[in-house]
Protein backbone atom coordinates (compact mmCIF):
# COMPACT_ATOMS: atom_id res chain seq x y z
CA UNK A 1 0.00 0.00 0.00
CA UNK A 2 1.53 3.28 -1.14
CA UNK A 3 1.41 6.72 0.46
CA UNK A 4 -1.45 7.87 -1.79
CA UNK A 5 -3.54 4.83 -0.87
CA UNK A 6 -3.15 5.64 2.83
CA UNK A 7 -4.05 9.30 2.16
CA UNK A 8 -7.16 8.35 0.20
CA UNK A 9 -8.38 6.12 3.01
CA UNK A 10 -7.86 8.87 5.60
CA UNK A 11 -9.57 11.58 3.58
CA UNK A 12 -12.83 12.59 5.19
CA UNK A 13 -15.97 11.52 3.39
CA UNK A 14 -18.53 14.31 3.60
CA UNK A 15 -22.23 14.10 4.30
CA UNK A 16 -24.60 15.45 1.68
CA UNK A 17 -25.44 18.45 3.87
CA UNK A 18 -21.75 19.23 4.57
CA UNK A 19 -20.72 19.03 0.92
CA UNK A 20 -23.60 21.15 -0.31
CA UNK A 21 -23.24 23.77 2.42
CA UNK A 22 -19.52 24.13 1.78
CA UNK A 23 -20.09 24.45 -1.95
CA UNK A 24 -22.89 27.03 -1.59
CA UNK A 25 -20.99 29.07 1.00
CA UNK A 26 -17.74 29.07 -0.97
CA UNK A 27 -19.40 30.11 -4.22
CA UNK A 28 -21.58 32.72 -2.51
CA UNK A 29 -18.48 34.29 -0.95
CA UNK A 30 -16.65 34.13 -4.29
CA UNK A 31 -19.42 35.78 -6.29
CA UNK A 32 -20.83 38.09 -3.64
CA UNK A 33 -24.29 36.90 -4.72
CA UNK A 34 -27.01 36.13 -2.20
CA UNK A 35 -27.63 32.46 -1.43
CA UNK A 36 -31.33 31.58 -1.43
CA UNK A 37 -31.55 28.42 0.63
CA UNK A 38 -35.16 27.62 -0.30
CA UNK A 39 -34.34 27.75 -4.02
CA UNK A 40 -30.81 26.28 -3.87
CA UNK A 41 -29.40 29.14 -5.90
CA UNK A 42 -27.15 32.18 -5.79
CA UNK A 43 -28.85 35.32 -7.06
CA UNK A 44 -27.93 38.79 -8.24
CA UNK A 45 -30.35 41.30 -9.69
CA UNK A 46 -29.38 44.08 -12.12
CA UNK A 47 -32.42 46.21 -12.97
CA UNK A 48 -35.04 43.74 -14.29
CA UNK A 49 -32.48 41.06 -15.14
CA UNK A 50 -31.98 38.35 -12.52
CA UNK A 51 -28.85 36.20 -12.61
CA UNK A 52 -29.04 32.83 -10.87
CA UNK A 53 -26.64 29.99 -10.34
CA UNK A 54 -29.00 27.12 -9.57
CA UNK A 55 -27.70 23.96 -7.93
CA UNK A 56 -28.90 20.42 -8.60
CA UNK A 57 -28.04 17.17 -6.86
CA UNK A 58 -28.41 13.57 -7.90
CA UNK A 59 -31.33 11.64 -6.48
CA UNK A 60 -28.87 8.79 -5.93
CA UNK A 61 -26.75 10.73 -3.41
CA UNK A 62 -25.95 8.81 -0.24
CA UNK A 63 -24.01 10.41 2.63
CA UNK A 64 -20.62 8.82 3.08
CA UNK A 65 -20.77 7.12 -0.33
CA UNK A 66 -21.73 9.21 -3.33
CA UNK A 67 -22.50 12.92 -3.54
CA UNK A 68 -22.98 14.40 -6.98
CA UNK A 69 -24.00 17.89 -8.01
CA UNK A 70 -24.01 20.28 -10.94
CA UNK A 71 -25.33 23.75 -11.58
CA UNK A 72 -26.67 26.08 -14.20
CA UNK A 73 -26.07 29.76 -14.77
CA UNK A 74 -29.33 31.26 -15.95
CA UNK A 75 -30.65 34.74 -16.40
CA UNK A 76 -34.21 35.91 -16.65
CA UNK A 77 -36.35 39.02 -16.85
CA UNK A 78 -38.70 40.02 -14.02
CA UNK A 79 -40.81 42.02 -16.48
CA UNK A 80 -42.14 38.77 -17.90
CA UNK A 81 -42.72 36.85 -14.64
CA UNK A 82 -41.73 36.96 -10.97
CA UNK A 83 -40.04 33.57 -11.15
CA UNK A 84 -37.61 31.95 -13.55
CA UNK A 85 -39.70 29.86 -15.91
CA UNK A 86 -40.45 29.39 -19.61
CA UNK A 87 -42.06 32.85 -19.70
CA UNK A 88 -39.11 34.74 -18.22
CA UNK A 89 -35.88 32.78 -18.82
CA UNK A 90 -33.60 34.52 -21.31
CA UNK A 91 -30.59 32.21 -21.45
CA UNK A 92 -28.51 29.65 -19.63
CA UNK A 93 -25.24 27.72 -19.52
CA UNK A 94 -24.83 24.41 -17.69
CA UNK A 95 -21.84 24.14 -15.37
CA UNK A 96 -20.75 20.52 -15.45
CA UNK A 97 -17.39 18.76 -15.36
CA UNK A 98 -15.75 18.03 -18.67
CA UNK A 99 -16.99 14.72 -20.10
CA UNK A 100 -19.44 14.08 -17.27
CA UNK A 101 -22.88 15.14 -16.04
CA UNK A 102 -22.19 15.43 -12.28
CA UNK A 103 -19.39 16.78 -10.13
CA UNK A 104 -18.32 14.30 -7.46
CA UNK A 105 -18.25 16.32 -4.21
CA UNK A 106 -18.03 13.41 -1.75
CA UNK A 107 -14.63 14.35 -0.25
CA UNK A 108 -12.88 17.63 0.56
CA UNK A 109 -10.44 17.16 -2.33
CA UNK A 110 -13.17 16.40 -4.86
CA UNK A 111 -15.36 19.21 -3.53
CA UNK A 112 -12.52 21.74 -3.79
CA UNK A 113 -11.76 20.62 -7.35
CA UNK A 114 -15.45 21.01 -8.28
CA UNK A 115 -15.60 24.46 -6.67
CA UNK A 116 -12.48 25.56 -8.55
CA UNK A 117 -13.96 24.34 -11.85
CA UNK A 118 -17.27 26.12 -11.18
CA UNK A 119 -15.42 29.32 -10.26
CA UNK A 120 -13.58 29.22 -13.60
CA UNK A 121 -16.92 28.82 -15.39
CA UNK A 122 -18.39 31.72 -13.41
CA UNK A 123 -15.38 33.81 -14.44
CA UNK A 124 -15.88 32.86 -18.09
CA UNK A 125 -19.67 33.03 -18.47
CA UNK A 126 -21.41 34.77 -15.57
CA UNK A 127 -19.19 37.66 -14.48
CA UNK A 128 -18.59 39.10 -17.98
CA UNK A 129 -22.31 39.11 -18.78
CA UNK A 130 -23.29 40.63 -15.43
CA UNK A 131 -20.66 43.34 -15.88
CA UNK A 132 -22.04 44.19 -19.32
CA UNK A 133 -25.56 44.61 -17.94
CA UNK A 134 -24.28 46.67 -15.00
CA UNK A 135 -22.30 48.98 -17.31
CA UNK A 136 -24.61 49.33 -20.31
CA UNK A 137 -27.95 47.53 -20.72
CA UNK A 138 -28.22 48.33 -24.44
CA UNK A 139 -24.62 47.29 -25.01
CA UNK A 140 -25.28 43.99 -23.21
CA UNK A 141 -28.28 43.37 -25.44
CA UNK A 142 -26.16 44.08 -28.52
CA UNK A 143 -23.47 41.72 -27.19
CA UNK A 144 -26.05 38.95 -26.76
CA UNK A 145 -27.31 39.52 -30.31
CA UNK A 146 -24.15 38.05 -31.85
CA UNK A 147 -24.47 34.52 -33.20
CA UNK A 148 -21.75 33.23 -30.88
CA UNK A 149 -23.49 34.56 -27.76
CA UNK A 150 -26.90 33.35 -29.00
CA UNK A 151 -25.44 29.86 -29.22
CA UNK A 152 -23.40 30.01 -26.00
CA UNK A 153 -26.30 31.18 -23.82
CA UNK A 154 -28.86 29.13 -25.80
CA UNK A 155 -30.95 32.21 -26.48
CA UNK A 156 -32.70 30.90 -29.60
CA UNK A 157 -34.19 27.96 -27.69
CA UNK A 158 -36.18 30.15 -25.33
CA UNK A 159 -37.60 33.02 -27.38
CA UNK A 160 -37.60 35.54 -24.51
CA UNK A 161 -34.55 37.34 -25.88
CA UNK A 162 -36.55 38.36 -28.96
CA UNK A 163 -39.30 39.74 -26.69
CA UNK A 164 -36.70 41.69 -24.70
CA UNK A 165 -35.27 43.33 -27.80
CA UNK A 166 -38.68 44.86 -28.50
CA UNK A 167 -38.89 46.53 -25.05
Amino acid sequence: MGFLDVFKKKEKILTIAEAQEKMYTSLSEYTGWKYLKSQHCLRLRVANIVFDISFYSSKYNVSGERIEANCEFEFWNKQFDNICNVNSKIGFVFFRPENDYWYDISTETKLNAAIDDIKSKIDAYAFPLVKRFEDDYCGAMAYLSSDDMQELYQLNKLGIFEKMKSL
Side-chain angles (χ1 to χ4, degrees), residues 52-112:
D52 286 342
I53 298 173
S54 298
F55 299 95
Y56 305 99
S57 60
S58 171
K59 67 181 181 179
Y60 300 109
N61 285 347
V62 177
S63 286
E65 291 181 28
R66 171 192 6 233
I67 307 171
E68 298 174 322
N70 64 35
C71 54
E72 173 185 17
F73 168 63
E74 56 196 354
F75 50 105
W76 52 284
N77 192 321
K78 286 190 70 83
Q79 286 181 290
F80 298 123
D81 208 333
N82 284 330
I83 60 172
C84 182
N85 61 32
V86 71
N87 298 319
S88 63
K89 194 172 188 177
I90 302 165
F92 62 96
V93 176
F94 290 113
F95 291 172
R96 297 179 182 148
E98 192 173 327
N99 302 320
D100 207 347
Y101 189 81
W102 299 104
Y103 289 103
D104 180 352
I105 60 170
S106 58
T107 67
E108 290 281 344
T109 302
K110 292 175 181 178
L111 173 64
N112 290 334

Side-chain angles (χ1 to χ4, degrees), residues 124-125 128-129 132-133 136-150 152-153 155 161:
Y125 305 113
L129 187 59
R132 286 180 184 274
F133 273 98
D136 177 15
Y137 183 92
C138 292
M141 292 296 290
Y143 171 75
L144 286 175
S145 294
S146 76
D147 289 342
D148 288 345
M149 293 305 106
Q150 296 256 336
L152 174 66
Y153 292 109
L155 301 176
F161 183 67

Side-chain angles (χ1 to χ4, degrees), residues 23-37 39-45 50-55 71-74 76 118 122:
M23 183 167 68
Y24 303 156
T25 300
S26 176
L27 293 172
S28 178
E29 289 171 358
Y30 181 73
T31 60
W33 299 9
K34 182 177 182 178
Y35 174 60
L36 303 175
K37 188 174 185 174
Q39 296 179 24
H40 300 285
C41 77
L42 304 179
R43 178 167 291 164
L44 176 72
R45 184 172 171 187
V50 180
F51 299 94
D52 286 342
I53 298 173
S54 298
F55 299 95
C71 54
E72 173 185 17
F73 168 63
E74 56 196 354
W76 52 284
I118 294 168
I122 290 169

